[in-house]
Amino acid sequence: MAMGSIGDTLWDVVICGTGLQQSLLALSLSRSGKNILHIDPNDYYGGAEAAFSLQEAESWVDRLATEDKGLFRSASITKPDVVGLSFPRAYSLALAPQLIHARSELLSQLVSSRAYRQVEFLAVGSFYIFKAPVGPEQQPSLVRIPSTREDVFSTTAISAKAKRGLMKFLRFVLDYDSPEQRDAWKPFADKPLVDFLQEHFKMDTELKTYIITLTLSLDGRITTEDGLFIVHRHLTSMGHFGPGFAALYPKWGGISEIAQVACRAGAVGGAVYMLGAGIKSMETATDEIELELTSGDKVKTKLLVRGDESVGDEPSISRLVAVVDSPLKTLFESTVDGAPTPCVAVVALPPGSLTTPGEANTDPVYVFAHSSGTGECPNGQSVLYLSTMVTPNSKEILSRSLESLLSAVDPDRVPQCLYQLYYEQAAGVKQSRLDGLILDLPGPSLSLLMDDASLNHVREAWKKVVGGAVDDAEYMVFTDREPVDDDDYE
Amino acid sequence: MQPNPIQASTHRTTHKTLKFSNMTQSFTSLPQELQLATSAHVKYIQSLDSRKDEYDYWLTEHLRLNGLYWGLTALHLLGHPEALPRAETIDFVLSCQHENGGFGAAPGHDAHMLSTVSAVQILAMVDAFDDLETRGRGKAQVGKYIASLQNRQTGTFAGDEWGEEDTRFLYGAFNALSLLGLLHLVDVDKAVDHIAACANFDGGYGVSPGAESHSGQIFTCVAALTIAGRKELIDVDRLGRWLSERQIAGGGLNGRPEKKEDVCYSWWVLSSLEMIGKTHWIDKAKLTSFILSSQDTDKGGISDRPGDMVDVWHTCFGIAGLSLLDYPGLEPVDEVYCMPKSTIKRVLGR
Amino acid sequence: MADQGGSNHGIARTSRTRTEEQRQKDLERIKDYRALEDQVRHHAAKNDYSSDVFALTSKLLRLNPEYYTVWNVRRRCLISGLLSKPSPGSSPSKALPTSSPTATTTTSSADFSSSLSTETPPAPESQTTGKSGITAEDDEEQKQQTRQQDQQNDQQILQKELHFTIPLLLESPKCYWIWSYRLWILKQVIERLPVPVARNIWEEELGLTSKMLLRDQRNFHAWGYRRHVVEQLESPELEGKSLVESEFEFTTKKISQNLSNFSAWHSRSKLIPRLLDERNANDEARKAFFEEELNKIGEAINVGPDDQSLWYYHQFLMLNLVNSAEHPTIAPAFTQEERVTYLRREIESIQELLEDYDDAKLIYEALFDYTLYLCQLQGRKPNEQEEKDLKGWLGNLKKLDPMRSGRWADLERDLGLKE
């Protein structure tokens, strides 16, 4: 379809915003015979899940300073007076990096829709716990969380008795949804998982920290029901796509890469794309909406889908993105023979573990360490993504966490920080909202793990557009559009 | 209704008889889909040779004679020995024989121990050793071929002239030679020594000395020792334990520790247990329903486990397993030869 | 009794009806397949084992690697023309191993093809002419040169054959015929190529088995094959030396990847006696080794009390204490007192596991067994406390493992444990 004609068409759906949900929706609808116009007021893909070059990050920070709406605030960039930073386009910093479990629904949709072929997935390796130094002379250290039986077998970090406790729990989780096991945790379903671990498994603090870290719960208070679901998925994901890893991360900027691939596949399916085109005004009639776009175009559509950008009830989080001048090699060692070299490692700083001068952290701090293998920074450097709940001193907590972590990774030559981007992100609303001919999808999730629930909203929206007589089994199931080498995956 | 207590082997203990009366009761209470679909299975086996418009039919020609043995055994046990025409069966078997006495899987296929054993078993089942003498190359030539495959140094057997050795071939040789009454052509003691060298600390046997215990290989070794009359070499208690541990939660049996269950192991494990008198060490009712639930009750045939594609191999060993489990209506199977007991009685006079 | 080729394992049952289109497609494939098959048979029946036939077997085997007769045709193509004729005076160590009992391969292949019942017997003479017949008049230098050329030619062909089977093995890792053909080729490597070259090729083979075992840790064929490869690499024919240390290391690695890999534990149990002998381990070293293994398996059981693989290995170690006459033993010089101490210590630490795993039946079984071992070792009957324990454990076994109730009943009867 030629661009000139966008005003002449009555679109089935105009989708505004290219975050993950809108992009997947465009993909699914474009293959269901609907004509779609997909626009984004930004001149980049990915919305709140975008990945930025340093230049793009700078203009994003500048723009946030002038407008006081949306989900992001308090953004600032710090460049210490150190040489080593490469040219701006050598970086691709993810605004909201998320890990994707091998058994996540997102992956099966990418496989069935064949869109996965365009994404390069990387292995997420070990999860570590940061340990503060015990005495004044000592260094902080990182302890790897054993998450398979073989890991538990070979670790020397815990006692034989504690190993049994951990195995007992791991065995329980693998089977947690069976009728017998459900009786054990149902009374705790809405209570924090830590309480259940305490009561039912008599776990010590150390083991509890291991388990909670696997859930990446930002406040450490994840419910038993949600927590068991995530730990179960983590364990069953282990080895699913290959030995030694449970989660994946898309190269070149995480979720934003998937959003872009979905848009590209949507375009192959016939959707029309316009970046830098937002909605200036709209006029609603009975069965169509007329939109005036910031590009000057006027278009008509039967349905408008947007991403909700209003702030929801849940607390906000602080994020710090740091580029460091070291490959942080020790974090990215593969622990199993035949496993791919991981490009992402996770470090948790449990509550209270920050012992440098200043207040201790009351919430856990999570760090995603990305090697240059992610394509997010040049060789020899790494990107660290830190997140914690917003508190009056969370910015300071994050920067002290960064320092502590760096000295734990390599006490002999503490890596230097070359660049820091700080911002706070508010939680969006959690539900879709249909108002006449306008459907607002929920805001982006703050979760550090890809949350399958957000995919359900996309599926519901697809069903609504495609109409009553659709078969759920057809959702996101496409054949290849072009011949491909079938040597991977299947 | 079977059973016929006279058919019971000498190993049957009072346990077994006791257990059996419980079993009969449990069969009658089985739901419809857990009844043996006899007529469907007969039709399925009959249809196997009429599938010449299927690509797979041609890809599996190297198993034709084996397939005939599996199908025919199943039919005999199902009580329908006439379901495949006898004369054509004999003609086909003889058309696979080579001058050296060995049989190939089909005309134009090289001679091999496995197809030779199948040929002898089929001819025994349809009572056609006479045809082998008059129209084929004769028993003696078959015996000579098989004997030529023994490694006289180690006692074990190769599958053919190219030298792959395996306790499967040793068992095959003993099976066929004993049916032909020609066991004296080979060095039985050497072969027995070789089996003893394949024994492991867990009581089981592997494919060669040093190899891990495996249910299929255990069957071949225990059956060969039984044919040789040397069962005293078996560590009955330890082996019985190992074999009984092959039954896993769903009731099916696996072939090795920490592996999945599979209908064919109903045969390898159960017949081995039978030979050492320990079938009561597993839950027979559960195994029975596992095998039955692996049937395709509609189109016939049995698969490796419920819901999978059927084939004649699993059909044969599933039915043989059921026979050994005293499933009513089936002909009793001989646990050493995997053939009807009546055939073995006729041929060996026991 | 036959191999499992052609049977369906783990393939989901689907509708067995085909559309007319699928049927037509099948008929096309059958036509092509049978045409190819006819060609190969036609040539083989005439004893034509030329390079054209060889090429046809490649095509056919890619379609059907289970077709053993075609593997044989391929072998005959190699020995009746493509490969050099082995010189009559080759060293005795390079003679064919006795595992192939039927005369020499050349004449027996003639036997075999002439006995095809459906075709007219071919003239056996055509078999005997090799590509590079050497007469006595050739001078030594020329002989040497020819031999070198032959070896180079052979090496190239044999390596190509090894490459040919790899994709087939990756696709059908459980096909006996491919493994067997590959071994035959490797046997030719020993017989035809200079030792250093042959050794290199066999060493690469060890790498291949490691790769296969990474894809499928329990592949029976691959483990058996590996044992064979190691044996060859250790043999004087390849000027080998013992690989027992590195093979032992290999099992350690496989176990740390997956504790349930009984194939690796088994292999370990078989390697240990040789390992200790070759280390010239004295009594002290043997004792230390035994303790190390005991600790290792104890750690493993501590995290895998339901895992049969682990308990089998544990039992293997315990049998070293009681049944030392029957099995090769790790530490023959243990005193009676030491044996008793080890058994008691194990029984105690296994009992500790019950604090966390009171539903793991294999724990009760081990306690039961080892208590009896102890009595056996001391040549006595269970004392009152032991009898009480045995009864209690048996009670748990009955409760936790009703499938094997017949076994528990036998035990109860045989040991007189019935109330």
Side-chain angles (χ1 to χ4, degrees):
Chain A
M1 189 168 304
M3 289 296 279
S5 64
I6 62 164
D8 307 335
T9 312
L10 172 59
W11 298 94
D12 288 320
V13 188
V14 169
I15 300 173
C16 181
T18 54
L20 180 68
Q21 296 184 80
Q22 292 104 310
S23 304
L24 290 176
L25 180 63
L27 169 62
S28 64
L29 286 174
S30 74
R31 299 292 182 95
S32 298
K34 299 291 167 187
N35 62 346
I36 311 290
L37 176 65
H38 197 171
I39 60 175
D40 194 319
N42 301 317
D43 51 9
Y44 51 84
Y45 285 95
E49 286 131 349
F52 289 151
S53 70
L54 300 188
Q55 220 156 21
E56 288 170 320
E58 206 161 311
S59 51
W60 179 72
V61 170
D62 290 347
R63 193 147 42 81
L64 282 184
T66 61
E67 57 181 41
D68 190 26
K69 66 181 178 74
L71 299 168
F72 294 98
R73 43 197 81 212
S74 312
S76 62
I77 290 172
T78 320
K79 279 189 248 179
D81 193 13
V82 186
V83 285
L85 206 59
S86 187
F87 59 97
R89 298 210 65 84
Y91 299 88
S92 175
L93 306 180
L95 278 185
Q98 288 185 326
L99 308 186
I100 309 170
H101 275 137
R103 286 194 185 270
S104 146
E105 172 64 20
L106 176 63
L107 286 179
S108 45
Q109 287 186 11
L110 291 178
V111 170
S112 70
S113 67
R114 304 279 150 170
Y116 73 90
R117 294 186 196 280
Q118 319 301 326
V119 187
E120 193 176 335
F121 286 103
L122 307 167
V124 175
S126 300
F127 282 51
Y128 297 91
I129 304 281
F130 171 83
K131 291 238 178 188
V134 191
E137 295 301 301
Q138 295 208 298
Q139 299 290 348
S141 62
L142 300 179
V143 178
R144 209 169 72 84
I145 301 180
S147 62
T148 65
R149 195 173 56 147
E150 283 65 27
D151 271 355
V152 181
F153 165 69
S154 47
T155 183
T156 48
I158 48 179
S159 72
K161 173 85 182 152
K163 283 183 177 187
R164 292 203 292 275
L166 189 54
M167 282 316 298
K168 229 169 108 174
F169 174 71
L170 296 182
R171 288 204 302 170
F172 163 84
V173 174
L174 283 175
D175 188 33
Y176 86 106
D177 213 19
S178 72
E180 311 91 77
Q181 311 289 33
R182 226 178 290 154
D183 290 345
W185 61 266
K186 271 289 166 186
F188 290 85
D190 298 325
K191 295 181 189 155
L193 177 61
V194 263
D195 294 357
F196 175 64
L197 298 178
Q198 174 66 45
E199 290 289 314
H200 197 76
F201 287 94
K202 311 272 177 278
M203 273 188 194
D204 62 19
T205 314
E206 178 106 11
L207 289 193
K208 280 187 287 196
T209 305
Y210 282 8
I211 305 297
I212 298 300
T213 297
L214 291 182
T215 71
L216 298 179
S217 165
L218 282 157
D219 61 359
R221 307 288 292 167
I222 190 166
T223 65
T224 302
E225 180 158 23
D226 293 348
L228 291 178
F229 174 82
I230 293 177
V231 179
H232 175 264
R233 200 173 62 183
H234 183 90
L235 296 181
T236 51
S237 289
M238 188 57 91
H240 186 59
F241 283 132
F245 63 97
L248 302 163
Y249 183 78
K251 193 171 177 177
W252 310 113
I255 298 294
S256 93
E257 188 63 11
I258 295 182
Q260 282 191 56
V261 162
C263 289
R264 229 176 293 151
V268 172
V272 174
Y273 279 83
M274 289 175 75
L275 286 187
I279 298 167
K280 201 163 161 191
S281 65
M282 65 173 93
E283 225 165 288
T284 312
T286 27
D287 48 9
E288 61 180 63
I289 308 179
E290 191 174 280
L291 303 172
E292 191 189 347
L293 305 183
T294 51
S295 60
D297 295 284
K298 284 192 176 170
V299 298
K300 281 181 284 189
T301 181
K302 297 184 207 163
L303 182 73
L304 171 64
V305 179
R306 304 179 300 192
D308 199 327
E309 286 185 20
S310 44
V311 173
D313 309 331
E314 313 238 321
S316 309
I317 62 171
S318 289
R319 295 188 188 263
L320 176 65
V321 185
V323 177
V324 297
D325 71 346
S326 157
L328 305 179
K329 274 213 169 68
T330 52
L331 290 179
F332 305 109
E333 277 160 7
S334 75
T335 53
V336 178
D337 204 35
T341 305
C343 294
V344 176
V346 179
V347 184
L349 292 87
S353 61
L354 213 50
T355 52
T356 50
E359 267 179 66
N361 54 325
T362 50
D363 296 305
V365 174
Y366 294 100
V367 187
F368 288 174
H370 290 195
S371 76
S372 60
T374 57
E376 293 175 358
C377 65
N379 276 342
Q381 301 182 6
S382 315
V383 186
L384 299 173
Y385 296 92
L386 293 84
S387 330
T388 194
M389 307 293 295
V390 164
T391 59
N393 61 351
S394 53
K395 185 174 181 182
E396 180 233 324
I397 294 273
L398 288 187
S399 86
R400 278 166 51 217
S401 297
L402 177 62
E403 279 167 31
S404 297
L405 171 64
L406 291 176
S407 59
V409 174
D410 190 353
D412 298 331
R413 186 206 159 272
V414 179
Q416 301 233 37
C417 194
L418 303 174
Y419 176 94
Q420 291 188 25
L421 165 63
Y422 176 83
Y423 52 96
E424 289 167 12
Q425 184 179 359
V429 294
K430 296 192 89 175
Q431 292 306 321
S432 301
R433 194 171 48 200
L434 180 65
D435 183 5
L437 301 179
I438 302 176
L439 174 68
D440 283 324
L441 292 170
S445 158
L446 291 186
S447 167
L448 301 179
L449 273 170
M450 175 64 214
D451 177 11
D452 286 347
S454 62
L455 302 176
N456 294 339
H457 298 289
V458 180
R459 187 191 286 255
E460 288 310 311
W462 170 79
K463 266 191 185 160
K464 185 185 152 21
V465 177
V466 178
V470 295
D471 184 355
D472 242 7
E474 285 170 26
Y475 180 65
M476 284 286 202
V477 178
F478 312 131
T479 49
D480 285 311
R481 284 287 165 117
E482 46 221 276
V484 279
D485 282 340
D486 234 347
D487 58 351
D488 50 2
Y489 238 95
E490 272 93 350
Chain B
M1 244 238 186
Q2 301 288 335
N4 182 349
I6 300 168
Q7 306 270 15
S9 81
T10 47
H11 304 298
R12 291 209 178 169
T13 59
T14 43
H15 275 292
K16 178 145 182 173
T17 332
L18 200 74
K19 195 86 187 169
F20 178 69
S21 52
N22 296 337
M23 294 272 298
T24 334
Q25 216 173 13
S26 63
F27 286 140
T28 50
S29 58
L30 284 172
Q32 186 66 38
E33 67 272 19
L34 287 187
Q35 303 282 351
L36 185 64
T38 302
S39 62
H41 295 320
V42 172
K43 275 203 202 96
Y44 165 72
I45 295 165
Q46 282 177 320
S47 77
L48 288 172
D49 207 46
S50 63
R51 303 186 167 201
K52 298 186 176 145
D53 62 345
E54 292 178 18
Y55 189 47
D56 246 24
Y57 177 89
W58 297 102
L59 284 187
T60 53
E61 197 181 58
H62 64 284
L63 288 170
R64 199 65 81 229
L65 212 43
N66 309 110
L68 185 54
Y69 157 72
W70 297 324
L72 200 63
T73 303
L75 289 174
H76 276 253
L77 298 177
L78 287 167
H80 290 269
E82 76 300 332
L84 290 181
R86 180 174 182 273
E88 282 173 39
T89 300
I90 299 169
D91 288 348
F92 177 74
V93 172
L94 293 180
S95 76
C96 300
Q97 196 175 23
H98 291 239
E99 207 163 283
N100 62 11
F103 290 77
H109 289 248
D110 285 355
H112 193 278
M113 174 76 86
L114 295 176
S115 30
T116 303
V117 177
S118 287
V120 171
Q121 288 182 291
I122 295 166
L123 294 175
M125 263 189 286
V126 300
D127 195 8
F129 281 168
D130 287 347
D131 296 76
L132 179 61
E133 286 312 316
T134 54
R135 295 157 56 205
R137 317 268 176 200
K139 279 187 190 181
Q141 191 65 20
V142 181
K144 203 175 141 196
Y145 170 75
I146 295 175
S148 78
L149 293 174
Q150 186 174 32
N151 180 335
R152 298 279 167 169
Q153 248 122 53
T154 64
T156 191
F157 285 79
D160 62 16
E161 58 184 307
W162 306 103
E164 182 196 5
E165 294 177 349
D166 186 324
T167 43
R168 289 179 309 147
F169 306 140
L170 192 160
Y171 162 71
F174 273 29
N175 178 322
L177 288 175
S178 61
L179 289 174
L180 295 169
L182 297 173
L183 203 53
H184 60 272
L185 293 182
V186 294
D187 190 337
V188 174
D189 289 341
K190 263 258 152 67
V192 167
D193 289 348
H194 178 77
I195 297 176
C198 293
N200 288 316
F201 73 86
D202 51 27
Y205 297 86
V207 53
S208 58
E212 172 187 358
S213 298
H214 179 289
S215 300
Q217 244 63 44
I218 289 172
F219 167 81
T220 64
C221 291
V222 171
L225 288 175
T226 307
I227 293 173
R230 297 293 301 279
K231 283 211 285 194
E232 80 279 1
L233 293 176
I234 302 168
D235 187 341
V236 170
D237 258 15
R238 211 168 279 288
L239 176 60
R241 281 180 61 158
W242 193 91
L243 289 168
S244 72
E245 290 295 341
R246 302 284 56 79
Q247 187 164 40
I248 58 180
L253 306 172
N254 62 14
R256 287 184 282 160
E258 313 296 332
K259 300 281 282 185
K260 275 191 189 164
E261 71 279 36
D262 184 325
V263 159
C264 65
Y265 293 114
S266 316
W267 175 256
W268 312 128
V269 175
L270 193 66
S271 57
S272 303
L273 282 170
E274 176 77 28
M275 286 183 261
I276 60 170
K278 302 285 185 211
T279 55
H280 62 288
W281 281 12
I282 61 163
D283 188 328
K284 294 197 227 173
K286 274 198 161 173
L287 176 56
T288 304
S289 52
F290 171 75
I291 300 175
L292 289 173
S293 59
S294 304
Q295 305 177 94
D296 184 336
T297 48
D298 188 24
K299 295 192 174 130
I302 298 177
S303 52
D304 61 349
R305 59 185 72 95
D308 283 356
M309 283 290 271
V310 305
D311 60 66
V312 65
W313 150 281
H314 286 100
T315 307
C316 171
F317 293 115
I319 290 170
L322 288 174
S323 168
L324 213 48
L325 289 160
D326 300 316
Y327 188 87
L330 291 176
E331 285 292 319
V333 66
D334 185 277
E335 67 276 13
V336 179
Y337 289 90
C338 194
M339 289 159 71
K341 269 191 183 294
S342 52
T343 302
I344 299 306
K345 194 161 183 250
R346 174 167 44 73
V347 176
L348 298 185
R350 69 169 175 97
Chain C
M1 179 65 202
D3 70 278
Q4 303 175 10
S7 64
N8 296 319
H9 281 262
I11 303 163
R13 196 177 294 166
T14 48
S15 157
R16 282 189 240 162
T17 46
R18 292 173 293 173
T19 63
E20 184 51 31
E21 196 189 347
Q22 283 167 325
R23 209 181 84 90
Q24 286 307 326
K25 224 172 150 184
D26 263 8
L27 290 178
E28 276 301 303
R29 287 169 85 194
I30 291 170
K31 211 179 94 198
D32 293 348
Y33 175 79
R34 295 203 65 197
L36 190 56
E37 193 185 11
D38 280 348
Q39 271 180 291
V40 173
R41 284 193 189 178
H42 177 74
H43 289 286
K46 288 191 304 183
N47 264 347
D48 171 5
Y49 294 117
S50 62
S51 51
D52 290 348
V53 184
F54 183 77
L56 290 173
T57 65
S58 306
K59 265 176 127 174
L60 191 47
L61 288 168
R62 283 195 189 105
L63 293 177
N64 187 5
E66 298 271 355
Y67 204 150
Y68 69 88
T69 302
V70 178
W71 285 114
N72 296 347
V73 171
R74 195 173 177 87
R75 287 178 172 108
R76 290 187 194 112
C77 289
L78 291 177
I79 52 183
S80 57
L82 294 178
L83 288 174
S84 67
K85 212 171 136 76
S87 52
S90 62
S91 69
S93 72
K94 294 207 163 188
L96 279 173
T98 44
S99 61
S100 175
T102 37
T104 73
T105 33
T106 337
T107 52
S108 68
S109 65
D111 275 355
F112 272 70
S113 38
S114 65
S115 63
L116 288 177
S117 49
T118 52
E119 305 283 350
T120 37
E125 291 81 7
S126 59
Q127 277 298 297
T128 51
T129 41
K131 179 173 147 185
S132 49
I134 298 168
T135 64
E137 295 94 73
D138 289 325
D139 67 65
E140 200 47 45
E141 196 182 332
Q142 202 185 335
K143 255 191 198 167
Q144 190 65 27
Q145 228 173 16
T146 321
R147 195 174 308 138
Q148 269 179 6
Q149 275 169 2
D150 280 352
Q151 280 181 344
Q152 273 167 10
N153 169 60
D154 287 356
Q155 181 179 347
Q156 209 178 14
I157 290 176
L158 293 171
Q159 283 187 312
K160 258 174 124 173
E161 284 308 275
L162 294 175
H163 286 153
F164 172 71
T165 56
I166 286 185
L168 301 180
L169 270 182
L170 291 178
E171 203 167 311
S172 320
K174 293 186 176 169
C175 177
Y176 282 95
W177 310 109
I178 313 175
W179 287 107
S180 146
Y181 180 75
R182 201 173 165 85
L183 270 183
W184 184 83
I185 290 293
L186 285 160
K187 209 167 80 183
Q188 305 303 314
V189 165
I190 295 185
E191 281 163 18
R192 292 165 190 273
L193 305 184
V195 172
V197 179
R199 187 164 178 86
N200 264 341
I201 293 175
W202 277 84
E203 271 168 2
E204 272 173 39
E205 204 59 14
L206 196 61
L208 176 82
T209 69
S210 300
K211 266 194 205 130
M212 296 296 290
L213 289 173
L214 205 55
R215 289 167 73 98
D216 176 2
Q217 305 166 4
R218 298 288 303 279
N219 186 322
F220 205 68
H221 301 277
W223 276 101
Y225 192 75
R226 184 178 181 94
R227 250 189 319 277
H228 181 81
V229 172
V230 167
E231 212 177 288
Q232 293 297 320
L233 279 172
E234 289 175 333
S235 73
E237 273 171 310
L238 290 177
E239 294 171 3
K241 57 177 187 356
S242 172
L243 293 176
V244 72
E245 292 284 352
S246 57
E247 282 305 286
F248 187 73
E249 263 317 297
F250 181 72
T251 67
T252 309
K253 200 168 95 184
K254 293 320 272 181
I255 289 161
S256 69
Q257 281 163 21
N258 178 8
L259 289 175
S260 296
N261 190 342
F262 182 67
S263 307
W265 289 110
H266 165 84
S267 177
R268 200 173 177 86
S269 78
K270 292 282 178 184
L271 289 166
I272 287 174
R274 253 185 75 199
L275 182 87
L276 292 172
D277 285 349
E278 289 182 17
R279 282 183 186 173
N280 286 323
N282 60 18
D283 289 345
E284 208 173 315
R286 284 171 179 267
K287 190 173 168 181
F289 183 90
F290 183 75
E291 289 193 6
E292 205 178 304
E293 286 301 289
L294 213 50
N295 283 340
K296 189 178 183 79
I297 195 67
E299 287 269 337
I301 287 173
N302 190 50
V303 299
D306 293 324
D307 196 322
Q308 288 183 4
S309 312
L310 305 178
W311 285 108
Y312 280 125
Y313 189 73
H314 193 264
Q315 199 169 48
F316 159 75
L317 292 178
M318 292 295 100
L319 284 173
N320 272 277
L321 298 173
V322 279
N323 267 0
S324 40
E326 281 175 43
H327 302 271
T329 173
I330 298 177
F334 279 155
T335 63
Q336 167 82 357
E337 202 190 328
E338 278 173 322
R339 291 168 199 268
V340 169
T341 311
Y342 278 123
L343 265 174
R344 283 198 194 286
R345 207 183 74 189
E346 285 307 294
I347 292 171
E348 256 169 55
S349 62
I350 293 169
Q351 262 174 309
E352 234 168 76
L353 297 176
L354 287 176
E355 290 169 18
D356 292 289
Y357 306 124
D358 58 357
D359 59 347
K361 81 132 187 172
L362 295 175
I363 296 182
Y364 296 105
E365 215 178 319
L367 287 170
F368 196 96
D369 284 346
Y370 299 157
T371 301
L372 293 179
Y373 284 9
L374 188 63
C375 295
Q376 184 195 333
L377 195 59
Q378 298 183 313
R380 60 177 177 83
K381 287 204 143 110
N383 61 35
E384 213 174 307
Q385 178 57 43
E386 284 166 341
E387 193 163 307
K388 214 179 123 221
D389 286 343
L390 288 171
K391 279 180 185 166
W393 296 327
L394 198 54
N396 285 301
L397 285 169
K398 285 184 187 168
K399 197 175 76 210
L400 292 168
D401 186 16
M403 281 203 297
R404 276 159 280 268
S405 58
R407 198 169 110 204
W408 313 134
D410 280 8
L411 267 182
E412 193 168 52
R413 187 198 54 209
D414 295 348
L415 294 168
L417 292 174
K418 195 128 190 140
E419 294 296 331

